[in-house]
Amino acid sequence: VYNAAPAWGVTVGDALGVPDPLLTQHLHQHQGQTFSFLGIRVSSPLSLVVNGRRPPGSALAPPRLALSNPEEAPP
C-alpha cells in the first residue's frame, strides 16, 4: 500500500475494500525472462476500508523532504 506508515498494514484474512483502484498491467523482462502481473494502486491507505472501517490517521506515512544539490561537492 503506497504512502502507508511502516507500523500499519493489513493481514491475511482481513476484508479489504478499495473504492477507487487504479489497475495497471506490469510487464518486465529480466535476464531473458518475462514477468507479467496486475497491480492495484490507491493514493492513500486512508481511502481503503479494512474490515468495515477506515484506517486511523496514523496509517498514513508522514511526508519526507529530500534535497540534493549536484553542483555542490560534499565537505
Side-chain angles (χ1 to χ4, degrees), residues 8 12 21 25 27-28 31 33-34 36-37 40 44 49 52 58 65-66 68-69:
W8 181 85
V12 174
Q25 173 73 44
L27 181 62
H28 301 280
Q31 295 181 349
Q33 292 184 318
T34 300
S36 177
F37 58 93
I40 299 174
S44 167
V49 178
S58 61
L65 177 63
S68 66
N69 187 348

